[in-house]
Amino acid sequence: MAVHARLRAAVDADPYIELRPHTTVRSVGQDAHSAWVITSDDQTFRGDVVIGADGHRSVVRGSVSPEKPDATFAGYLIWLGLADESALASSRHWPRDVDIFSAGDDYLLGYPLPGSDGSVAPGSRQIGWAWYDASHNDLLREKGSVVGNVVRHALTSADIPEATFRKLATKAKDLWPAPWCDAILDCIKRRAVLGTPIAEYVPDRLVNGRLALVGDAAHVPTPMTGSGFSASLYDAEAVAESVAAGVRGSTVAQALGGYERKRLSSVRGMVQSGQQFSRSFTGRAA
Ligand SMILES: Cc1cc2nc3c(=O)[nH]c(=O)nc-3n(C[C@H](O)[C@H](O)[C@H](O)COP(=O)(O)OP(=O)(O)OC[C@H]3O[C@@H](n4cnc5c(N)ncnc54)[C@H](O)[C@@H]3O)c2cc1C
């Protein structure tokens, strides 16, 4: 929320940015003179370039890398939840930092957070948790969350069978210490759990002519790298620098080419390093 509010304030302060909420891009195109997007309500927007920042299921990627348009399923999901400190019996032992645990075939990341109002006062903080689990791939396929090798959507609480909630609760008590276990049990009790199938994408290119990709549209690392968000910001910065340099002489395509040269090798390395974790994790759980 804090990041969103600050980005929103930056957008509001810039007269050159026009936000069009609830607008879905259906396709993109380009010719020698311009690039454009066509929205699901058949509007066309043209510009010098189109920068696809449309996440791991990017529509723009299909026009930048038509031979490799989809991020692929990494073979596991992450159960996610967020609990209020006031709901937890064990809040006396409040964690100071991120904790990582490995038990059985699973991993757990737990992280203390400020309360929803930003408060860090004892009693009003929150705990987030992310539980890596490779044993529910059948459920992901049954619910259409993963189709073939492509991630379509997360499992919401409505998708998760009661028996799965019960199994997760029993397993959490076996595997994870307080206060993380208490946070998980609280989320399970409230049915406030999301099951996110993890996708990965190693890019071969970031640019095609006047079209470019940034963020998860360009590269999808496992969250275990902890790098996806910051890499997205570095991309945006590099695009801005390259386009600004392009204004001083080169063509649009040359300017975007500068962005690709700056970023491609490092973002490929980021995703590949995460793939080593994913392979060992799914191999160990197999
Ligand atoms: C469980 C999980 C935990 C993570 N933890 C971390 C972490 O600890 N550290 C870290 O650095 N990264 C983490 N990440 C990765 C991080 O969240 C992403 O790298 C980051 O959100 C990418 O930002 P983005 O703007 O490129 O994509 P997104 O955040 O996915 O945003 C894409 C936007 O495009 C919109 N969109 C999509 N398609 C269209 C369309 N056709 N038309 C119009 N709009 C569209 C979407 O609605 C969305 O608003 C995690 C990811 C997951 C799944």
Side-chain angles (χ1 to χ4, degrees):
M1 286 303 283
V3 173
H4 184 266
R6 292 181 70 166
L7 288 173
R8 187 58 204 251
V11 165
D12 290 343
D14 188 330
Y16 291 107
I17 299 178
E18 187 185 332
L19 272 189
R20 297 200 170 243
H22 314 299
T23 305
T24 302
V25 171
R26 199 182 63 213
S27 65
V28 301
Q30 61 176 323
D31 59 21
H33 310 290
S34 67
W36 58 87
V37 303
I38 301 176
T39 62
S40 54
D41 55 356
D42 288 328
Q43 296 188 75
T44 301
F45 296 92
R46 280 178 189 275
D48 290 331
V49 297
V50 168
I51 309 295
D54 50 342
H56 77 98
R57 295 197 58 211
S58 172
V59 168
V60 184
R61 194 193 291 132
S63 295
V64 171
S65 274
E67 71 292 345
K68 191 166 125 180
D70 294 318
T72 52
F73 179 48
Y76 56 97
L77 63 69
I78 304 182
W79 301 109
L80 292 166
L82 192 60
D84 285 332
E85 181 177 5
S86 55
L88 305 181
S90 51
S91 64
R92 277 196 318 278
H93 308 291
W94 195 252
R96 301 172 77 84
D97 209 343
V98 176
D99 262 340
I100 303 185
F101 303 93
S102 166
D105 293 327
D106 297 0
Y107 278 94
L108 180 74
L109 257 80
Y111 33 94
L113 294 167
S116 51
D117 60 355
S119 167
V120 290
S124 56
R125 298 165 291 190
Q126 298 178 100
I127 272 194
W129 54 272
W131 179 350
Y132 287 63
D133 173 3
S135 70
H136 284 89
N137 295 348
D138 290 346
L139 178 63
L140 292 171
R141 293 187 183 285
E142 186 194 320
K143 298 291 179 183
S145 291
V146 174
V147 176
N149 213 12
V150 177
V151 169
R152 298 265 186 236
H153 59 80
L155 293 174
T156 64
S157 284
D159 297 319
I160 303 170
E162 283 302 307
T164 305
F165 277 123
R166 282 197 298 276
K167 211 170 83 185
L168 287 174
T170 306
K171 204 168 162 186
K173 286 181 207 158
D174 278 352
L175 297 185
W176 314 125
W180 311 111
C181 174
D182 304 313
I184 294 170
L185 294 178
D186 172 69
C187 293
I188 290 175
K189 196 164 118 199
R190 291 183 290 113
R191 301 294 186 256
V193 175
L194 201 65
T196 305
I198 296 308
E200 290 173 318
Y201 186 82
V202 182
D204 296 328
R205 64 173 77 106
L206 306 176
V207 172
N208 177 5
R210 292 172 175 272
L211 310 176
L213 301 171
V214 296
D216 278 11
H219 41 72
V220 189
T222 168
M224 194 48 118
T225 63
S227 304
F229 182 75
S230 52
S232 308
L233 298 182
Y234 288 131
D235 293 345
E237 200 173 56
V239 166
E241 283 169 8
S242 298
V243 170
V247 169
R248 295 193 288 275
S250 52
T251 64
V252 166
Q254 284 167 338
L256 289 180
Y259 158 63
E260 184 174 84
R261 280 192 297 283
K262 253 186 222 163
R263 295 291 297 151
L264 183 59
S265 156
S266 106
V267 296
R268 279 176 60 85
M270 168 186 72
V271 182
Q272 285 164 338
S273 74
Q275 284 182 323
Q276 287 179 18
F277 162 80
S278 296
R279 286 193 192 114
S280 77
F281 179 59
T282 51
R284 159 175 120 139

